[in-house]
Structures are given as structure tokens and as C-alpha cells.
Amino acid sequence: MSDYKWCHGPKCHKSHTQDRVRGVKGSKVLRTKKIKQNTYIGMFSYFCSNSCYNEFANKHAEQIIRIAPRNTPLETPIDVVKEVTRNGWDNSDYITTNIKEKTVETWD
Ligand SMILES: [Zn+2]
């Protein structure tokens, strides 16, 4: 198995950077970047940059969403907690509103 993968960014070979220039004078090209494997995890094993990842995701969004479509919203149980705090400079009270996620206790 190869130790490298080609970047999957659809426009990777359009970026004007010196590290993409290959070939001899008169027949030079901008080439898709190679990504060394076993160095990065996740998307950076397949994409040389965030912009290459974003271009891929934008181009193939419909196909990507079909992997795990969401037809109903997700919900996180919360408590909205108001707390009175003392202002340092004039000693007045002010109320802050905090959102705290409810933790679901599980007992094994
Ligand atoms: Zn790239």
C-alpha cells in the first residue's frame, strides 16, 4: 500500500504555490499535492488544507449528506439558570443567564 494519497480537493492543482510546481522548463504543471499517510488523522489524511476540504464538501454536499441524512432535529436537554453576580466597580448586582446541559446519569 502506498504511503501517500493525492489530495481530494477538486481545485488543489489550481493553487499557485511553489510546492505544486512539477516538470521541466517549457512543460511545467501545477500538480495535486500528495499527503503522507500515518501522519494526520481524519480529513487531513485526504485533504492538504481546509480550503481543499471545503471545496470537496461544497462540490459533493448532496452525496455527503446522503451518508447520514437528518430529517428530524437533535435536542440537548438544558436548564436555563439565572445567577446574581456582584459587579466589582459599583457593588451592584447583575443577573447573568447561563445555559447548562443536563447530564444524564448512567449506572453500569
Ligand atoms: Zn489540496
Side-chain angles (χ1 to χ4, degrees):
M1 195 172 128
S2 173
D3 290 327
Y4 292 89
K5 284 188 173 26
W6 295 109
C7 174
H8 284 60
K11 296 179 190 167
C12 192
H13 64 294
K14 298 285 187 184
S15 287
H16 295 190
T17 62
Q18 289 297 318
D19 60 351
R20 288 179 170 89
V21 175
R22 294 290 183 274
V24 294
K25 191 174 181 182
S27 59
K28 289 192 181 291
V29 296
L30 289 168
R31 184 177 291 163
T32 298
K33 285 181 82 167
K34 266 183 177 177
I35 300 155
K36 189 172 179 14
Q37 296 300 288
N38 304 319
T39 304
Y40 303 105
I41 57 166
M43 70 173 220
F44 289 113
S45 298
Y46 301 95
F47 300 95
C48 73
S49 64
N50 271 314
S51 65
C52 279
Y53 174 77
N54 290 341
E55 285 166 0
F56 180 90
N58 287 330
K59 184 177 181 184
H60 301 291
E62 294 299 321
Q63 292 159 278
I64 293 166
I65 293 305
R66 269 186 247 134
I67 296 167
R70 179 171 328 289
N71 300 313
T72 57
L74 301 177
E75 295 180 345
T76 303
I78 59 165
D79 284 318
V80 177
V81 180
K82 293 194 183 287
E83 292 177 8
V84 178
T85 311
R86 180 126 313 178
N87 227 344
W89 64 278
D90 69 352
N91 220 19
S92 63
D93 291 343
Y94 66 94
I95 298 171
T96 56
T97 305
N98 298 311
I99 293 174
K100 297 189 176 175
E101 287 188 24
K102 284 184 178 173
T103 54
V104 178
E105 299 289 337
T106 58
W107 304 95
D108 295 324

